[in-house]
Amino acid sequence: MKAVFLDFATVSHGDLDTSHLTQVLPALKLRDITADADIASHIAEHQIVLLNKLHITRELMAGAGGLRLIVVAATGTNNIDLEAARELGIAVCNVRDYCTTSVTQHVLAVMLVLTQRLREYAQLALRSWGESPQFTMLDFPIRELSGRVLGVVGYGTLGRSVARAAETALGMRVLIANRPGAERVSGRLDLHEMLPQVDVLSLHCPLTAATRRMIGAPELALMKKDALLINTARGGLIDSDALVQALRERRIGGAAIDVLEQEPPVDGSPLLASLPNYILTPHIAWAAREARQRCIDEMAENIAAFLRGDARNRVV
């Protein structure tokens, strides 16, 4: 069966073992990058298409008459027209729970960098420690996270893992929000009730009509002035302009952003800014090598199941 991976370079930097994939699909073509304008020509003759973030529309599916399976190298499938796939009889599967450790590690890392002021002190040491009149420098306030409150929005696999790590490793207390648009759960707090209580807010929910820009100026105004905001989920969850303004006016303590509304930000973004106590990373919370290897191995398992006639990680 003919297959192509359209954007393999978004998963591998030449550091992954592809043998599991090629055992299942000996004729698999690995394309590092495929421009949007070229997708149609590169899927036309293939029955199986693997991809990460490229958009597959109804028109593209309809034009690929032999297409039987789309395999997404991610959990989110918002880049695939699932309704069209269902109508056209094209199976779609995703990969689940492959990057939990990597994302958890990232959240704790940025939390500690921001709280311990590691970047500021590293720069200060190089700049002026040699002229210091004493052995230590106390220019930037540091606080302990033990006993502080972590607020989690999105309590799936990732949110639970981050909460457990923060409790176990850092001694934090955890509050869980009722996700906007989802059914309310006993023991969880509505977002506006939770925000004034948290010292760190970490987002792990999907982007939906109800969660789009759920953290805007009114929500940021509810947070403590030394609170931290961490987003490793989807860029559209946050009003970027409101966050930049809050950071510039020191109305919150800091932020770590791993995702933007447009990636890459070819049209620019307010969050492409150099601000105190702010970290921007290029969507890499998930990207530990081990997580990426698990991702393509899971894709191979999904394909093998499909070829056997079994449903595995199917969303369509």
Side-chain angles (χ1 to χ4, degrees):
M1 189 167 286
K2 297 179 70 175
V4 60
F5 201 136
L6 294 173
D7 53 354
F8 186 60
T10 64
V11 179
S12 175
H13 196 60
D15 56 350
L16 299 186
D17 176 6
T18 60
S19 61
H20 198 173
L21 274 177
T22 54
Q23 284 170 8
V24 177
L25 296 171
L28 175 65
K29 294 180 182 177
L30 297 176
R31 293 182 52 80
D32 282 346
I33 299 170
T34 301
D36 289 341
D38 298 330
I39 293 175
S41 62
H42 285 293
I43 69 174
E45 303 299 325
H46 294 89
Q47 291 79 50
I48 299 177
V49 170
L50 295 74
L51 56 86
N52 190 355
K53 291 294 184 284
L54 292 175
H55 287 263
I56 302 296
T57 63
R58 176 183 294 272
E59 181 181 9
L60 286 169
M61 284 185 252
L67 184 59
R68 296 177 55 198
L69 173 66
I70 298 172
V71 187
V72 183
T75 303
T77 54
N78 55 298
N79 53 323
I80 311 297
D81 187 332
L82 298 181
E83 182 179 350
R86 196 171 289 110
E87 291 176 7
L88 294 167
I90 299 169
V92 180
C93 57
N94 65 354
V95 181
R96 303 168 192 176
D97 302 340
Y98 65 99
C99 62
T100 302
T101 299
S102 183
V103 172
T104 301
Q105 181 173 292
H106 180 95
V107 172
L108 264 61
V110 294
M111 195 188 307
L112 290 167
V113 167
L114 290 171
T115 303
Q116 204 72 14
R117 310 299 290 270
L118 294 180
R119 292 183 308 166
E120 293 93 333
Y121 275 114
Q123 294 166 0
L124 184 65
L126 293 175
R127 186 171 64 245
S128 55
W129 198 10
E131 289 77 46
S132 174
Q134 58 192 28
F135 78 97
T136 189
M137 306 182 81
L138 304 173
D139 297 51
F140 304 101
I142 299 171
R143 61 179 180 171
E144 293 182 348
L145 287 167
S146 179
R148 301 279 182 171
V149 176
L150 170 68
V152 176
V153 187
Y155 202 58
T157 301
L158 292 174
R160 284 185 170 89
S161 178
V162 167
R164 185 168 55 250
E167 287 177 322
T168 303
L170 302 175
M172 298 185 76
R173 295 189 295 116
V174 175
L175 295 178
I176 306 162
N178 281 307
R179 175 162 59 86
E183 185 177 347
R184 299 180 81 253
V185 177
S186 176
R188 301 183 185 182
L189 302 175
D190 289 341
L191 188 60
H192 285 66
E193 183 182 2
M194 186 183 76
L195 288 176
Q197 303 183 54
V198 302
D199 298 288
V200 182
L201 178 67
S202 192
L203 307 182
H204 300 282
C205 58
L207 178 62
T208 66
T211 61
R212 183 173 294 279
R213 300 199 173 186
M214 68 177 184
I215 303 298
E219 290 74 25
L220 291 166
L222 291 173
M223 297 176 68
K224 298 177 182 179
K225 289 192 174 181
D226 58 357
L228 305 178
L229 170 61
I230 301 172
N231 187 13
T232 56
R234 290 292 181 265
L237 298 174
I238 295 175
D239 182 331
S240 300
D241 290 304
L243 175 57
V244 169
Q245 186 173 356
L247 287 167
R248 283 184 173 145
E249 296 176 359
R250 311 247 175 162
R251 288 189 278 108
I252 65 168
I257 302 297
D258 187 54
V259 286
L260 298 177
E261 289 196 65
Q262 181 191 56
E263 296 173 344
V266 293
D267 298 321
S269 168
L271 291 168
L272 292 171
S274 178
L275 296 166
N277 222 20
Y278 170 64
I279 298 171
L280 176 67
T281 48
H283 205 139
I284 49 83
W286 68 284
R289 191 198 64 77
E290 295 86 351
R292 292 182 287 112
Q293 184 67 57
R294 278 194 294 273
C295 179
I296 67 166
D297 289 344
E298 283 291 301
M299 294 173 78
E301 292 293 336
N302 288 343
I303 296 164
F306 174 80
L307 295 176
R308 292 193 306 268
D310 298 333
R312 184 179 191 272
N313 289 337
R314 289 277 292 274
V315 294
V316 174

